[in-house]
Structure formats: C-alpha cells, structure tokens
C-alpha cells in the first residue's frame, strides 16, 4: 500500500520494525529503484521466458528425431484440450464460489429487497432454510479439517502402504479442507409411516477450496486435488428412536441419486484433466463414492452402544419391488436421414429404464416410430418417497445414438395406486411410452407362494421370467478360515450364487477372521427348487477357503422366512464357519384388479365359475359400470390455423446471391398428438385455413406448441414458435388472436381456438352437421360432430382355451380408423380391465363402435358391433349394461356415451342478418332448446329452415339433389356442398352408380369443373363433399352453377348416363345465407327449381 506524503514526513520508524523501502522512482534523482523488489521482478521475467522456451523443446526434439509434424500437432492439440478443461473447471469453481459468497446480496437484488430480509409472510413449507445449521458447520469446519488430517495420516495412509508394496513410501503431504465449508441449501422433512423413524432430505452443496497432496517418494511422484464441487440430495434417517439418551440410536446417510462431482486435479493427476480422461476419472471416483454412499449402500453411525439389528439398519429390507412392463411407444420422432438428409427415414428406437443404480436396456426395434417391446423388468425400491422411475428412449446409430425423449415418475405414485397402466408423454422429444407398473409387496408368508407361482405361469415375460420371491443375504463375518501356504494370512472374499447370478463381496486383507458386513439381493423364480451357493476364496480366486450349499426350501419352513445363524463351511478348516442372516420375502401383487382367494379352495365356492383352478377370485357380478369421476369429462379442442404475416425469407438462389421467399407450414403439438398443415409455396404471408381437432382433459399444465418451418429439400428452416397454456382456452372457451412468433425477428400467426363441450342431447345434431359442412375447409379433414366416450369395465364367461384353460384376454375398441387396445389380463375367463377411451365421431348416424375380445395365442373370443344410431335413441345418449358377444358365449360390461359438439363460434358470423320474430317462430328448435346460444351461432342456425322435410313439396320424376351454395367473404371463395340425392331415376335393370358433376358457366374448361366420388348401386346416395372456387363476389354473381347427376353406363364404356341436372343462376341466390336446399332434377332441356 502506498503511503501519503504526510506519512513520509513523520518521525523515525517504530522500534522493532525495519525502515520502509520506497520502491517508487524519484523523478528528480534519476536513480533507478533498487532492492529485493527489483530482483524478484527480474527473476519472474526470466522464469516466464524459460517456461515459454520449454514449450519449444518438444518441437526441437521432434525435428531432431526426424518425426512428422503430425506428432507436434497432436501434442499441441492434447495440450490445448487439457488447458481448456482446466480453465473450464477453474471458471466453474470461481463462479460457484462467488455465488455462495454473494448469495445474500444476489438474492436480495433478485427479490428487489436490498438490505432487507424476507417478510414474515413468505414461507417455503416444503423445503426449509437452515442458516443456523450452516453457521454451526462453518464453526466446526476447521476442527473437522484437523480430524480429517489425523484420519488420513494415521488410518488411511498406513492402509494404502500395506495394500501394495509399491506404495510403501505413500504419504499425505498436505491436508487442508479450506475455508469454504459444506452448505446445506435446504432441508425437507418427510412424514414417516413408522413412529420410531425420522426422514430428512438435505440439499447439500460443496464448492470448496480443499487441497490434498500426496507423494510417493520412491517414484518422485506428487499428485493431489485443489478444489472440488459436490452437489446432491443427502437423505438422513434417524432411527431407532428410543426412550433413553441420546434418544436417537443411529444415523444413516446416503444419496438417493448420484450427486454431481467436479474435481480440479494437481500434480501428476493433471493428466486426468485431458479430454476423455476427465469424464472417465470423475465417473470412476463417482463409482467409488456410490459403492458406499449411494443407494442401496448407506453410511451408518451408531450413537448408542450394543445397538440391536445393526445389519438391518445398515442394509434394511427393500420397501417393495416394482415390476415394469415396457410395452410400447408411439409417435416418436424420426432421426434417420439418407442421401445427406434429402430423404427422411424413421428411427431404430430402444429404451433405457433406470431406478437408482439399476439400469435395463431394451432390444432395438429397427425402422419403427411406434415400436412394441413387450419387455418386463423387476427393480428393487429402497426409499419411498425419493426414488424415481426414469425411461429414456434413444435412436440406435452406428456412431452416437440420438435422444428421443424421457419420462420420470415417482415410485410413490406406484405404491399408492398398486397398478398403473398408462401412456406417458416423453419430455425433451415427442411421442409417448406405454408402461404398466405393478407394486409387489414383500410378505413373510410362505402360504402365498403357491398362489404367486400359479399367477406367474400365466405371465409372458422377457427377457427373464417373473420372480416369485426375493432373497436378501446379510454377510456378516467368518471365523478360523484356513491359512495360505507358509502360514500366511489370507485375503478372503465371498462369492454368492443363485442359479446363474453371482455376486462378490469386497476383499478383507490379512486376516482369517474377516468382517464384511455387506448385503446381497437375489430374485427367485421358484425358491422350492433353488439353492444358494457360497464360496469363500482368497482375493486371487485361485484358493478356495470354504464352501456352503444351502437349499432355499429351508427358509420356507423357518419363522418369518428368516435364518440368522452360524453356518459350518465344507472343504475348509474344522472350526471354519460363516455367519449370515438370510431373509426371504414373497412378491405379492395386491391390487383391485387381482384378487387371490384367502382360503384354499375358495375358488370352488362358485360352481358356475369357468375359472377352475384359477387363483383369481371373481367379485360379485355388478349390473352397471362404476367408472371414476374423470370419465366423460373430456372436451374437444378445435384449432383453426388461419394465416401468417411477415414471415422470414429463408430461400436463397445462386449461392445466396438472390433472395427468395419461404415455403411455410405449421407443426402443432398438443395433448400428446402432433399435427402438420400443408405447405404454401413461395409466400411470406401464407393462408392455410386448416382445422385440427384433439381430445383434451382439464389436467393443468398442458401446453399448445406451434412451430413454423420453411419446407426445403434437405432440412427445413425454422421460422418461429409459440407456446401457450391451454388453461386460458379451456376456461374461456374461445380465443381468436394474432400470436407473435418467438425466437425470430418477425412473423405472427393467426389462430382460432375453441373448446367444444359434449352435450348429451341429439336435438341439435342435424344443425351441427350443417354448421360443420359450412365451416369445413378444403384442406382439412371432416369435422367431428360428436365425442364418444367408452368405459370397458370387465368381461364374464369367456370361452376357455382348449376347453379347460382360461385365456389371456384383451380387448380392442375401434371406430373407423382409430383403435384402442386394453391391457392383457392373464388366465381368467372374467377379466377386469377398467379402462376408458374416447373417439371423435364425424357421422353419428353412419358410424359404429366395434369391440373385439381376443386371447393371446387363441384368436378372437367374441365381438360386438354397436351402431351409434342406437346411442342417439338412448336416454341422454348413453348405454350402460352387459353386452352379449357375437359367438353367444361371454358378455362384456361397458358404458358408451355420446356427446354432441356444438360450436358457439362457427367462424361464419361475419354475414350478419336481421331476423323477424316470425322467422324465429318458423323453427321451434331455434327458439326452444337452442335459445341460449349466442347470436353468431343463431345466424348460422337460421340458415337451416330449408333443411329437408319430405312433406314440404312433391319430388320430381327424376329425383332431387340437396346442396348448399355460399360465398365465404373472408376467404373470397365460392363454396358449394353436395349433400345427397334422393329418389333418382332407374333407367335399366341395375341400380345406377351416381356421382355429381359441377361446372361454372359460362366457363366450360377443366379449371372450374368439380366432381364428387362415385357411390355404388343406390338411388339415394350420400356425398357430403365440399368444393371451392376462388372468385370475387361480383364475379360469382355473373356465373351459373351447372349441377349434373350422372352414372357410368357400363364397365367397359367411358360414356356417362345423365340422371338429371339443375342449373342455378347465382345472381338470384342469396349467397350470404348458405342454406341447404333440395332442388328438382330435370333433363338436359329443362331448368331446375327448388
């Protein structure tokens, strides 16, 4: 620090201190500065020059040895990569330390509450802050450092020196925990089901300046760690709670998930910061930490002497087993590209299933976006809550696999439900994965084993058969093991095997009475015939110190299915023995869908039951279904993508010299489904005018995601996105907005969203069909008029396989091209599915619900065809009863209900008209049941008084055609809808194959010609097809619409037979009304009329 001139003029220096040296240059003296400061500066310059000179030594050596310049470049690249990793870690440490140092200031600034504490009403009930505990840790931290120094020097170092003769000079030269203590960000206390246990979750964050240096003097090797980060959630369990001090018997600590770790190496371990080795070294260290501090391993600290059941506390029994059925996935994204991205392929998906440290990988399904795996895995659950089921889906590639999405689910939800069978959306990608999750309880009851084995025989499981029990082996210690040659103490370890599964304990060095205190777990398919094989060996595996073979049937007769004792070893010393505790538990699925009899022979009480020999106890047969409260609460979201403006021009020509436009299209994702509009060529203000419909629920948090792309030959260019919550739409019922696209400089999208709530009345169905035909766009599929909700509860009295065996049955529900498959219920003639699904219905009068009950390997067991017209005649459009299968044997209990989708905002309300009171009275439904509808829809409904009424006027001799002619002013299009014909003329012996041809006169070219599809052998064809012409309104009024009904003359002839025609002068029709009307057909010489 520089001194002021006043200080320089003060008297002599204080006693005991050397005089201060003025290192500043005196401008008047001309004498350069001298002293030790100048010498140290010169030394630093020389040192820096020397280090830079050393960099050139490898270059010189490579040239002297005649090596290629590639070696120098490779070394340089390796060095640069090492520096990059080192600098990245250093920056990460500095940023984390700064955040911890300034946490209070940053938090205050973020909350705009500078120098003030949070108000009293702000609380965090789930996770609580414990600053008082952090202050205690900070106070204790230096003393913990002293303890760690003693522990490493007096315990760890001698153990390392004794483990390997090459490390006899191993020492810790420096052990400093630094000044940055561990911080506990928050604590969450879980309510425990046991009164003698307290569960705590500590969010631990350590960004420390720890420095630990080691040296092996024999090899002049120095290494160490300087700085470390560790972040994770540490679970602390206080148990058992006792009535004596210190109240808590022991503390167990472990990480539920692997914590994140980042280490800054020094010395020889700098090599571990080379790219590739960095992640590998951290992973290896993390594996070592996981070996004793990540589930299922725990650190146990007893607080009282002579604590009972230490082994049980150190390795408690699992909470349960989850059987994961990885069934299928759908709607996955395609990642494979061919011909340098010009051709889009599919994907080769596989799935990774994780629960804690347990990981399973499914097989790869080639070239499939809707894969079916049908695989089953069983995982051990140690902690609830806390552990999660994680499924990640990847696309298999030769180099690096592409990520397709992941889902996570807390195991507590499986425990609460018992059985979960659902499609789960994938996060970070698109599509869904189908999982069936079953919670298996652990029961100490051998009487349940026969029931479980019988149930498992009907389960198709791969790659492994289902387990019936689990075996937990607590390996405690051994005594008087034989010595090695030369009376040397062995290094014993234990191999435990059940069938083809082998697990090993750690090795204990230099003792013939080792203590292991480890736990091992095995799944058992049939414990009555399986054995536990134990081999005690030296760590070289060449010398066997003892063996033991134990039939697991012994456990079935033991109390609580537990053996806790010494076991005499064979092929060993006379007094060699092994102490183990063996615990077996039966895996029992206790759910409402599977009911085992509680008394042997209970299934025989019902003599009429077809389930002879089955372990399923069928409940009393109900008369009606009992769906949950969410059934039938779905709505339909109608998404009308209208247009966009000011999109970005992405197309470039002549190498980018010429700027083009874009070929935009829209992708939508909502409720687990994806939609895509058509491509509009060369337009920055495109009009799509497409309508999409999707079934949605009232679950909060759902989003509608829209993305606009420019269609290209290789990869489509991004033009913007927008995300919006569905909560606003579901609450308001309607939105019509321009949405500003995000992540792009310009562009906005015009979107119209409407929630359609199903109504249990058929009074408005005809009007809904007419309105849908008016607002139907040419590019969209036919709009839905109703929503069908189906709840399939169960079946009864299904036919048996080969006359005696109950089937493994499932059901498929189909409407049109949409199907839903239920889960498979094994080995029962009375399966319980309890599943619901919904279908969009376009034509309720013509469509039907098809149900098939099938058995795996046995084909169709029965079917039902339910015309939806029956639902239209039922009370509240609902049928809830037993339906008899077509084969005459077997019934299903099902509820099917229909809801009419009435649009309150049809999109044609721009044509405003005034209606007199008399016109309202002409249509009773408009003033009655539909009186509550808002005026825009009434305007549409009042276009419908001309709806067919056969008694209104006599039908002409050639029949009639029903059509709607309407001008859409918003889109400047003339629209015509051909609904149907009736009472057509039959000129020959065979019925005609009619179709309708339309022509705008006076133009007779192909540009204005339109034609419907052809209907076979009918005099009353139904078409319901829409046609459009882009014309201004004044141009439409100058045209005539020529409508001809024709039929093929014969199979071999191209001639067409004219059944009748009508010619409409559009100037004489009110094109703003858009009313459906019947017109008499005439021959070629007459004009048609209504």
């Amino acid at each position: 620090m520089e001194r002021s001139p006043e200080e320089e003029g003060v008297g002599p220096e204080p006693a005991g201190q050397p005089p201060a040296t003025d290192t500043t240059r005196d401008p008047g003296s001309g004498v350069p500065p001298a002293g030790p400061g100048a010498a140290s500066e010169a030394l630093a310059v020389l040192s820096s020059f020397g280090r830079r000179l050393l960099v050139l030594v490898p270059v010189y050596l490579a040239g002297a040895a005649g090596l290629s310049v590639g070696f120098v470049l490779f070394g340089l690249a390796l060095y640069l990569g090492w520096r990059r990793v080192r600098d990245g870690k250093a920056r990460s440490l500095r940023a984390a330390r700064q955040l911890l140092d300034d946490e209070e200031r940053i938090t205050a600034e973020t909350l705009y509450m500078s120098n003030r504490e949070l108000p009293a009403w702000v609380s965090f009930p789930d996770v609580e802050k414990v600053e008082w505990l952090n202050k205690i840790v900070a106070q204790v931290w230096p003393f913990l450092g002293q303890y760690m120094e003693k522990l490493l020097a007096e315990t760890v170092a001698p153990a390392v020196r004794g483990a390997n003769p090459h490390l006899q000079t191993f020492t810790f030269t420096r052990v400093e925990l630094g000044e940055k203590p561990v911080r506990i960000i928050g604590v969450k206390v879980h309510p425990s089901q046991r009164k003698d246990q307290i569960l705590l979750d500590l969010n631990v964050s350590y960004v420390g300046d720890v420095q630990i240096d080691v040296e092996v003097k024999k090899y002049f090797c120095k290494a160490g760690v300087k700085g470390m980060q560790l972040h994770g959630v540490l679970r602390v369990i206080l148990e058992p709670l006792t009535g004596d001090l210190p109240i808590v018997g022991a503390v167990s600590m472990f990480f539920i998930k692997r914590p994140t770790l980042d280490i800054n190496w020094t010395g020889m371990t700098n090599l571990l910061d080379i790219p590739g080795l960095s992640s590998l070294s951290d992973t290896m260290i993390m594996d070592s930490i996981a070996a004793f501090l990540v589930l299922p391993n725990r650190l146990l600290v007893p607080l009282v002497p002579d604590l009972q059941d230490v082994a049980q506390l150190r390795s408690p029994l699992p909470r349960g087993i989850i059987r994961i059925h990885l069934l299928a996935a759908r709607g996955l994204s395609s990642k494979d590209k061919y011909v340098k991205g010009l051709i889009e392929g599919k994907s080769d998906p596989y799935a990774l299933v994780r629960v804690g440290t347990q990981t399973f990988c499914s097989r790869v399904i080639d070239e499939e976006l809707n894969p079916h795996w049908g695989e089953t895995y069983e995982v051990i659950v140690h902690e609830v809550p806390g552990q999660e089921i994680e499924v990640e889906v990847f696309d298999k590639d030769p180099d690096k696999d592409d990520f397709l999405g992941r889902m996570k689910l807390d195991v507590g939800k499986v425990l609460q439900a018992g059985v979960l069978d659902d499609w789960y959306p994938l996060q970070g990608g698109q599509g869904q994965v189908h999982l069936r999750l079953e919670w298996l309880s652990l029961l100490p009851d051998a009487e349940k084993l026969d029931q479980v084995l019988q149930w498992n025989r009907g389960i198709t499981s791969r790659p492994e058969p289902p387990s019936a029990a689990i075996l937990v082996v607590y390996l405690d210690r051994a005594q008087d093991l034989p010595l090695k040659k030369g009376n040397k103490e062995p290094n014993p370890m234990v191999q435990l095997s059940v069938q083809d599964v082998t697990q090993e304990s750690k090795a204990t060095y230099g003792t013939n009475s080792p203590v292991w205190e480890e736990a091992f777990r095995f799944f058992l398919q049939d414990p009555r015939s399986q054995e536990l094989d134990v081999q005690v060996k030296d760590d070289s595996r060449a010398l066997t110190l003892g063996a033991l073979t134990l039939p697991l049937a012994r456990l079935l007769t033991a109390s609580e299915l537990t053996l806790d004792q010494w076991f005499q070893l064979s092929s060993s010393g006379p007094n060699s023995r092994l102490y183990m505790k063996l615990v077996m538990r039966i895996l029992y699925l206790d759910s409402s869908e599977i009911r085992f009899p509680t008394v042997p022979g209970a299934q025989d009480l019902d003599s009429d039951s077809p389930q002879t020999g089955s372990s399923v106890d069928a409940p009393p047969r109900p008369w009606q279904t009992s769906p949950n409260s969410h059934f039938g609460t779905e709505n339909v979201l109608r998404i009308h993508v209208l247009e966009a403006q000011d999109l970005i021009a992405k197309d470039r020509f002549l190498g980018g010299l010429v700027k083009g436009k874009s070929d935009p299209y829209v992708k939508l994702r909502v409720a687990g489904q994806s939609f895509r509009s058509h491509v509009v060529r060369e337009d920055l203000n495109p009009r799509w005018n497409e309508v999409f419909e999707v079934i949605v629920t009232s679950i909060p948090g759902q989003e509608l995601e829209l993305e606009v792309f420019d269609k290209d030959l290789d990869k489509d260019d991004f033009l913007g996105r927008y995300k919006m919550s569905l909560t606003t739409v579901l609450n308001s019922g309607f939105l019509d907005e321009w949405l500003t696209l995000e992540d792009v400089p310009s562009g906005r999208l015009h979107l119209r969203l409407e929630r359609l709530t199903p109504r249990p009345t058929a009074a408005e169905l005809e009007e809904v069909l007419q309105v849908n035909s008016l607002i139907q766009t040419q590019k969209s599929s036919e709009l839905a008029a109703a929503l069908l909700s189906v709840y399939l509860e169960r079946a009864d009295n299904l036919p048996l396989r080969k006359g005696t065996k109950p089937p493994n049955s499932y059901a498929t529900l189909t409407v049109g091209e949409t199907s839903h498959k239920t889960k498979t219920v094994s080995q029962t003639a009375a399966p319980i599915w309890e599943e619901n699904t919904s279908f969009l219905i376009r034509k309720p009068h013509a469509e039907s619900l098809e149900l098939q009950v099938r058995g795996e390997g046995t084909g169709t067991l029965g079917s039902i065809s339910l015309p939806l017209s029956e639902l239209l005649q039922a009370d509240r459009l609902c049928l809830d009863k037993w339906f008899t299968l077509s084969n005459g044997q077997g019934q299903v209990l099902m509820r099917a209900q229909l809801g009419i989708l009435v649009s309150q905002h049809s999109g044609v309300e721009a044509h405003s008209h005034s209606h007199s009171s008399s016109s309202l009275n002409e249509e009773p439904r408009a003033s009655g049941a539909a009186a509550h509808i808002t005026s825009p829809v009434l305007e549409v409904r009042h276009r419908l008084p001309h709806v067919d009424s056969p008694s209104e006027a006599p039908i002409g001799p050639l029949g009639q055609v029903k059509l709607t002619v309407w001008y859409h002013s918003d889109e400047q299009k003339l629209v015509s809808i051909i609904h149907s014909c009736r009472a057509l003329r039959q000129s020959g012996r065979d019925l005609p194959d009619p179709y309708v041809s339309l022509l705008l006169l006076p133009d007779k070219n192909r540009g204005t010609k339109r034609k419907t599809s052809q209907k076979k052998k009918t005099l009353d064809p139904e078409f319901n097809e829409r046609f459009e012409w882009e014309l201004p309104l004044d141009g439409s009024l100058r045209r005539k619409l020529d409508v001809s009904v024709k039929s093929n003359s014969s199979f071999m002839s191209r001639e067409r037979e004219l059944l009748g025609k009508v010619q409409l002068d559009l100037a004489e029709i009110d094109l703003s009304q858009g009313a459906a009307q019947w017109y008499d057909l005439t021959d070629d010489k007459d004009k048609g009329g209504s």
Side-chain angles (χ1 to χ4, degrees), residues 197 234-240 248-255 291-294 296-304 306-316 474 517:
Q197 184 186 73
L234 181 70
R235 173 155 293 182
V236 178
I237 302 180
L238 309 178
E239 66 171 340
V248 178
V251 179
S252 301
M253 293 176 286
F254 54 88
F255 288 100
F292 71 94
L293 207 55
V294 176
N297 306 296
R298 327 174 166 232
L299 178 63
L300 179 69
V301 181
L303 301 181
V304 296
D306 301 327
L307 185 65
Q308 299 294 324
D309 293 330
V310 176
Q312 180 70 20
L313 293 175
R314 182 174 287 111
S315 300
Y474 297 100
E517 294 182 341

Side-chain angles (χ1 to χ4, degrees), residues 89-109:
K89 289 189 174 184
R91 285 194 302 269
S92 178
L93 281 170
R94 284 196 301 270
R97 287 172 183 168
Q98 183 179 3
L99 177 63
L100 287 179
D101 291 341
D102 299 340
E103 180 185 14
E104 185 175 353
R105 179 183 59 81
I106 293 175
T107 304
E109 291 177 356

